[in-house]
């Protein structure tokens, strides 16, 4: 479906969609969308200043063109460079979308789901009855799933009994950790997400010097330690550089492998290519940046010292101001019954990149769950927004077919 909706997107082209969307009110499925935060999911929790890696049109949903929406929102001023959207615009677009498309009544925001369980099979069966007048056999679907949780504002619990459950909880709830001593003991300056990191950087700049400008020749404070070689770590390097903070960048890969940025075209993603270049030359192109390729952090002590080991097993100690550990994240599926192994590799925990939930590609039904459970987005291995719509159409189409089947057998 993505091929029809965004033709040649993988070549970086932005061609008009070949799809037309029509509203079919008769196909509407009664539903409720439960989320910890406002509509927009993880986009509401990301650092709004960062540019997405996607073109604006790849982030849009049916019925409201992203570019037109953004131009109207910002009185003609658009935030994207070379068509890339800013995270803050995307977050506002999704929030607005839900309201403009009159979907807000389906959303139960500020609520956490704590348990999703299949009800016992005897209650899950369809009750088949024959209409005495027409002789038509009806199949009455019974509740299959029990979804429990509570409202974050007042802790009031809720419980739904439903036939279908769609898992769309994304991949960002549990940041990956190094699992080293001191990592969790210093939460004010050892951080695992970009948003709190930016706030820590601002505090550092305010505390140490006030707003400095330009490339410094003398470091203003101990370096910020950035751990990781992905795009989030690159974003942290960019954010620290923007504030002229000294940087110590530790990553396990060789400098030549660098960030995932090498797969991105340089003309569209110059900032990531700059970081890749800095990682490669170890800091020669930027005086306050030092790369420790093929290094691993061993320990973080509360006096702001970190022990790092290199490829030749040499251990070095560095004093740092802030530590940013940006090595990916994984979904939190603790609300599912224990023992339900949903991944493509059932013996391993679900991981959106290496072990997504196994789904039927035509219906997005979870293959290893009782009937009525679906998965969407990164959970099902679709890690970009533009792939989500195919999953959503597969699920709604299957639910509609099943509902029609239920009505008259
Ligand atoms: C740093 C970063 C940058 C990205 N950049 C891009 C990009 O440039 N382009 C692109 O296309 N994609 C990008 N993505 C991927 C994109 O964010 C996802 O594909 C998309 O957000 C997935 O949507 P989703 O609704 O499935 O999950 P999410 O957007 O992750 O939303 C899931 C929501 O469910 C909530 N939730 C989880 N558990 C529960 C629970 N028990 N109860 C209630 N709520 C719960 C979560 O808190 C979250 O708010 C990026 C992702 C990250 C992390």
């Amino acid at each position: 479906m993505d091929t029809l909706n965004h033709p040649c997107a993988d070549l970086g082209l932005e061609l008009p969609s070949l799809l037309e969307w029509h509203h079919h009110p008769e196909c509407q499925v009664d539903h409720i969308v439960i989320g910890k935060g406002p509509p927009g999911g993880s986009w509401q929790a990301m650092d709004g200043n960062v540019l997405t890696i996607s073109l604006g049109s790849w982030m849009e949903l049916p019925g409201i063109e992203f570019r037109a929406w953004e131009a109207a929102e910002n009185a003609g001023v658009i935030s994207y460079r070379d068509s890339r959207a800013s995270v803050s615009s995307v977050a506002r677009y999704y929030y607005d979308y839900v309201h403009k498309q009159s979907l807000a009544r389906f959303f139960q925001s500020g609520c956490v789901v704590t348990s999703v369980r299949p009800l016992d099979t005897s209650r899950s069966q369809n009750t088949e009855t024959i209409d005495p007048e027409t002789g038509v056999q009806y199949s009455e679907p019974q509740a299959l799933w029990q979804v429990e949780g509570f409202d974050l504002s007042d802790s009031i619990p809720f419980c739904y009994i439903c036939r279908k459950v769609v898992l769309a909880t994304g991949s960002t709830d549990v940041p990956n950790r190094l699992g080293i001593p001191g990592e969790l003991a210093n939460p004010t300056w050892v951080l695992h997400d970009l948003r709190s990191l930016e706030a820590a950087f601002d505090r550092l700049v305010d505390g140490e010097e006030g707003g400095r400008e330009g490339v410094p020749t003398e470091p203003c404070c101990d370096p910020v330690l950035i751990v990781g070689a992905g795009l989030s770590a690159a974003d942290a390097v960019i954010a620290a550089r923007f504030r002229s903070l000294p940087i110590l960048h530790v990553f396990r890969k060789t400098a030549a492998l660098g960030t995932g940025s090498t797969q991105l075209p340089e003309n569209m993603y110059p900032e990531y290519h700059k970081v890749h270049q800095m990682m490669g030359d170890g800091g020669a192109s930027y005086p306050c940046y030092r790369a420790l390729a093929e290094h691993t952090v061993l320990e973080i002590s509360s006096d702001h010292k970190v022990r790092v080991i290199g490829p030749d097993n040499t251990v070095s100690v560095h004093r740092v101001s802030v530590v940013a550990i940006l090595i990916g994240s994984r979904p939190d599926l603790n609300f599912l019954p224990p023992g339900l192994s949903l991944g493509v590799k059932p013996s391993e925990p679900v991981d959106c990149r290496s072990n997504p939930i196994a789904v039927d590609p035509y219906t997005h039904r979870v293959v290893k769950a009782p009937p009525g459970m679906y998965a969407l987005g990164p959970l099902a291995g679709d890690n970009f927004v533009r792939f989500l719509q195919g999953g959503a159409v597969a699920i709604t189409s299957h639910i509609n077919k099943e509902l029609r089947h239920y009505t008259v057998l």
Side-chain angles (χ1 to χ4, degrees):
M1 184 167 143
D2 177 62
T3 311
L4 291 171
N5 209 13
H6 306 106
C8 301
D10 287 336
L11 302 176
L13 299 182
E14 201 174 10
L15 300 176
S17 171
L18 301 171
L19 297 177
E20 263 182 36
W21 298 93
H22 294 276
H23 184 211
H24 289 276
E26 73 283 5
C27 293
Q28 181 171 298
V29 179
D30 190 20
H31 68 284
I32 189 94
V33 183
I34 303 170
K36 287 182 197 167
S42 57
W43 291 96
Q44 305 295 353
M46 287 183 207
D47 179 358
N49 299 318
V50 173
L51 279 182
T52 67
I53 56 170
S54 295
L55 302 181
S57 66
W58 297 350
M59 313 305 280
E60 76 194 17
L61 300 174
I64 301 184
E65 218 186 290
F66 183 82
R67 281 165 184 270
W69 170 89
E70 195 174 38
E73 271 289 291
N74 303 341
V77 180
I78 47 175
S79 73
Y80 43 80
R81 183 205 303 160
D82 293 333
S83 306
R84 285 167 62 193
S86 76
V87 166
S88 61
S89 278
V90 173
R92 275 188 294 124
Y93 169 81
Y94 292 142
Y95 183 85
D96 231 31
Y97 184 89
V98 164
H99 289 85
K100 287 203 162 114
Q101 301 286 76
S102 307
L103 297 169
R105 67 204 154 105
F106 296 113
F107 276 70
Q108 188 173 331
S109 301
C111 290
V112 186
V113 171
T114 51
S115 160
V116 173
R117 272 161 221 283
L119 291 175
D120 65 58
T121 7
S122 55
R123 291 182 68 189
S124 305
Q125 299 303 308
N126 289 346
T127 313
E128 285 173 13
T129 46
I130 295 180
D131 186 310
E133 282 181 16
T134 60
V136 172
Q137 188 184 12
Y138 284 87
S139 180
E140 186 68 20
Q142 296 296 300
L144 281 168
W145 294 91
Q146 178 166 314
V147 178
E148 290 176 300
F150 65 91
D151 191 307
L152 282 165
S153 63
D154 50 18
S155 301
I156 292 180
F158 61 81
C159 175
Y160 290 99
I161 308 289
C162 49
R163 278 173 271 157
K164 311 283 183 193
V165 175
V166 179
L167 303 178
T169 51
S171 63
T172 55
D173 277 304
V174 188
N176 288 337
R177 303 196 195 286
L178 294 170
I180 54 166
E183 186 177 9
L184 301 179
N186 306 289
T188 53
W189 56 273
V190 180
L191 306 163
H192 293 82
D193 70 284
L194 264 182
R195 200 172 192 147
S196 36
L197 183 66
E198 288 239 8
F201 284 175
D202 285 340
R203 283 198 301 276
L204 214 52
V205 171
D206 290 346
E208 294 291 333
E209 274 204 13
R212 300 180 317 145
E213 279 178 14
V215 177
T217 45
E218 285 298 316
C220 65
C221 58
D222 290 325
V224 297
L225 171 66
I226 296 169
V227 184
L231 293 182
S232 292
D235 282 332
V237 170
I238 294 162
R241 230 190 96 155
F242 177 73
R243 292 166 178 81
S244 302
L245 293 168
I247 302 162
L248 182 65
H249 190 181
V250 170
F251 46 95
R252 285 185 310 188
K253 295 178 183 177
T254 61
L257 283 174
T259 63
S261 65
T262 36
Q263 295 146 19
L264 303 171
E266 186 169 359
N267 60 340
M268 268 184 76
Y269 306 95
E271 75 277 34
Y272 292 127
H273 278 265
K274 178 70 194 167
V275 175
H276 187 243
Q277 182 200 341
M278 287 160 61
M279 289 165 78
D281 67 25
S285 57
Y286 182 67
C288 286
Y289 172 88
R290 188 174 164 207
L292 296 180
E294 295 178 84
H295 279 65
T296 312
V297 182
L298 293 176
E299 187 180 358
I300 303 168
S301 27
S302 45
D303 60 358
H304 285 251
K305 285 190 180 141
V306 291
R307 280 200 315 130
V308 175
I309 187 164
D312 51 2
N313 284 335
T314 317
V315 175
S316 52
V317 178
H318 306 263
R319 216 185 129 76
V320 296
S321 49
V322 168
V323 178
I325 299 166
L326 298 164
I327 52 171
S329 56
R330 59 203 147 83
D332 180 0
L333 295 174
N334 274 337
F335 52 81
L336 292 175
L340 207 59
S341 308
L342 303 183
V344 172
K345 294 177 242 170
S347 56
E348 293 176 23
V350 169
D351 179 290
C352 296
R353 294 197 186 269
S354 59
N355 190 29
I357 293 179
V359 294
D360 174 318
Y362 299 104
T363 62
H364 271 241
R365 271 198 309 190
V366 177
V367 175
K368 292 173 183 130
M373 177 173 273
Y374 301 80
L376 180 63
L379 283 181
D382 287 336
N383 283 302
F384 284 104
V385 169
R386 53 179 248 249
F387 301 132
L388 262 64
Q389 289 178 41
V393 168
I395 294 171
T396 43
S397 155
H398 186 250
I399 291 177
N400 258 294
K401 279 182 197 141
E402 287 223 332
L403 286 178
R404 278 206 297 276
H405 178 71
Y406 283 143
T407 314
V408 180
L409 273 182

